[in-house]
Amino acid sequence: MSQLLQSHDYIVGQLTPSIVLYEPSFEGWLSAVFYVYASKLQDDESLQLIAQDCYVPSLIAQATSVATDEDKAERVLVKLNQLLGRLGMRNLLWGFLSEKDHIGTTLFQVVKYAIDYPSRHIMDDLGNLNVLELVQTVKSVGREKHRMEAFVRFEHTVEDIYFARVEPDFNVLPLIGEHFRQRYQDQHWAIYDLARGYGIYYDKSQSTPKRPAALQTITELDEAVLRNPASIHSEDEERYQRFWQGYFTNVTIKERKNPRLHKQYLPQRYWKYLSEKQVLPNAQYLKKQR
């Protein structure tokens, strides 16, 4: 028995993962990367970088919280920009915004690969599992960004603000803001992410003839408004929606309906915020009399 116990004698440190917790922001993750290299933990095979709001405490894991340090984050950002270039940095940011489980660790392993082999174009090395996972994640985020830009539906409110609600799979709000800022400079508008509890707001009064206004972040909205935006609709909004629903209903060719293809291009999870999908079964007033 003593020989059996001796043959299974392990060092506890080899079984315990090292976890670095970062504040849930890109700067927080960059600060954690700085901490890992400053503490010489980069070669620890069990190392994990996890957002503080996603961490579930464990009895065996060793977790260290790292505060966001803008100076250190800037130093890491400059270094990574030199190694990865603009496309590589975009991939890191988009990957981070995916909010996938363990994305902080995956991004760190990609960064470590770039630092260990500075002369390689690592983003082309899809044989590396971490790079492959990042590239696939970025493609998914890109598809979600494109869909949000296409499927956002604004509703005109009594305060002359065009308001839209979204629930994207990924945190793409920071990626779609510029799209709408360039296209809707002549009106007040806001897009609110219900899943993450924040939104972006464009105040046209802050714009100039040469430059559109900067986007503002909003975090506090009346819950009643979020659940029932019709309560703040302007007098014209209901009429606008009925016009659009009527158009959508009457241009549909019944004989050429293809529900499967329709759902492929317009996934059903987006329907609840599309005004053209809110037509009631008995809405005869929308149908053109032939």
Side-chain angles (χ1 to χ4, degrees), residues 126-179:
L126 300 184
N128 183 287
L129 295 181
N130 291 301
V131 174
L132 177 61
E133 181 180 353
L134 176 58
V135 170
Q136 292 174 337
T137 298
V138 169
K139 287 183 179 179
S140 297
V141 172
R143 283 194 295 268
E144 189 73 347
K145 171 183 178 293
H146 176 72
R147 286 171 172 169
M148 282 293 101
E149 291 172 347
F151 299 150
V152 165
R153 292 292 185 271
F154 290 100
E155 300 170 285
H156 191 238
T157 70
V158 292
E159 296 181 355
D160 195 28
I161 297 174
Y162 288 87
F163 179 67
R165 298 172 299 160
V166 296
E167 285 186 78
D169 281 354
F170 309 118
N171 185 18
V172 296
L173 217 54
L175 305 180
I176 67 174
E178 187 61 21
H179 171 87

Side-chain angles (χ1 to χ4, degrees), residues 26 71 76 93 125 170:
F26 193 58
D71 292 335
V76 175
L93 178 59
D125 185 6
F170 309 118

Side-chain angles (χ1 to χ4, degrees), residues 20-271:
V20 175
L21 304 177
Y22 56 87
E23 296 179 3
S25 67
F26 193 58
E27 292 78 8
W29 177 79
L30 291 171
S31 300
V33 172
F34 185 96
Y35 171 83
V36 168
Y37 276 92
S39 303
K40 301 187 184 301
L41 299 175
Q42 66 271 21
D43 295 322
D44 185 348
E45 295 182 358
S46 66
L47 179 66
Q48 299 177 34
L49 275 67
I50 303 176
Q52 292 175 356
D53 58 348
C54 297
Y55 176 62
V56 178
S58 169
L59 293 176
I60 64 171
Q62 299 176 349
T64 302
S65 294
V66 176
T68 300
D69 187 310
E70 293 186 2
D71 292 335
K72 294 177 180 178
E74 179 69 21
R75 289 171 61 181
V76 175
L77 189 65
V78 170
K79 179 64 176 180
L80 294 182
N81 191 53
Q82 294 173 351
L83 291 171
L84 299 174
R86 183 175 181 179
L87 178 60
M89 291 305 302
R90 190 210 70 164
N91 286 348
L92 288 184
L93 178 59
W94 285 30
F96 182 83
L97 292 175
S98 73
E99 301 178 333
K100 291 177 63 176
D101 293 340
H102 307 297
I103 190 63
T105 303
T106 300
L107 294 178
F108 173 75
Q109 292 300 330
V110 172
V111 166
K112 182 178 182 301
Y113 185 23
I115 293 175
D116 290 345
Y117 301 95
S119 61
R120 291 186 186 179
H121 298 288
I122 67 160
M123 287 300 171
D124 297 331
D125 185 6
L126 300 184
N128 183 287
L129 295 181
N130 291 301
V131 174
L132 177 61
E133 181 180 353
L134 176 58
V135 170
Q136 292 174 337
T137 298
V138 169
K139 287 183 179 179
S140 297
V141 172
R143 283 194 295 268
E144 189 73 347
K145 171 183 178 293
H146 176 72
R147 286 171 172 169
M148 282 293 101
E149 291 172 347
F151 299 150
V152 165
R153 292 292 185 271
F154 290 100
E155 300 170 285
H156 191 238
T157 70
V158 292
E159 296 181 355
D160 195 28
I161 297 174
Y162 288 87
F163 179 67
R165 298 172 299 160
V166 296
E167 285 186 78
D169 281 354
F170 309 118
N171 185 18
V172 296
L173 217 54
L175 305 180
I176 67 174
E178 187 61 21
H179 171 87
F180 293 100
R181 190 173 80 109
Q182 294 296 333
R183 285 160 178 76
Y184 302 112
Q185 300 179 24
D186 60 341
Q187 58 198 30
H188 303 285
W189 56 264
I191 305 174
Y192 194 85
D193 187 337
L194 294 172
R196 294 164 184 84
Y198 84 102
I200 52 178
Y201 171 63
Y202 179 83
D203 183 357
K204 71 175 184 179
S205 65
Q206 302 296 321
S207 63
T208 66
K210 294 184 178 180
R211 177 176 298 180
L215 294 176
Q216 303 175 36
T217 300
I218 52 178
T219 56
E220 296 183 4
L221 285 181
D222 190 336
E223 285 293 327
V225 172
L226 294 177
R227 290 193 301 268
N228 182 27
S231 63
I232 58 171
H233 281 171
S234 67
E235 294 182 358
D236 290 331
E237 178 59 27
E238 183 177 352
R239 184 162 55 92
Y240 294 153
Q241 291 196 13
R242 289 179 60 176
F243 282 159
W244 176 234
Q245 291 168 357
Y247 170 79
F248 185 81
T249 299
N250 286 284
V251 298
T252 299
I253 302 174
K254 185 182 301 184
E255 293 75 15
R256 299 188 65 179
K257 281 187 175 181
N258 187 338
R260 183 177 179 181
L261 183 64
H262 182 64
K263 291 178 181 179
Q264 178 181 337
Y265 285 99
L266 182 56
Q268 198 164 356
R269 60 190 175 90
Y270 299 115
W271 289 10

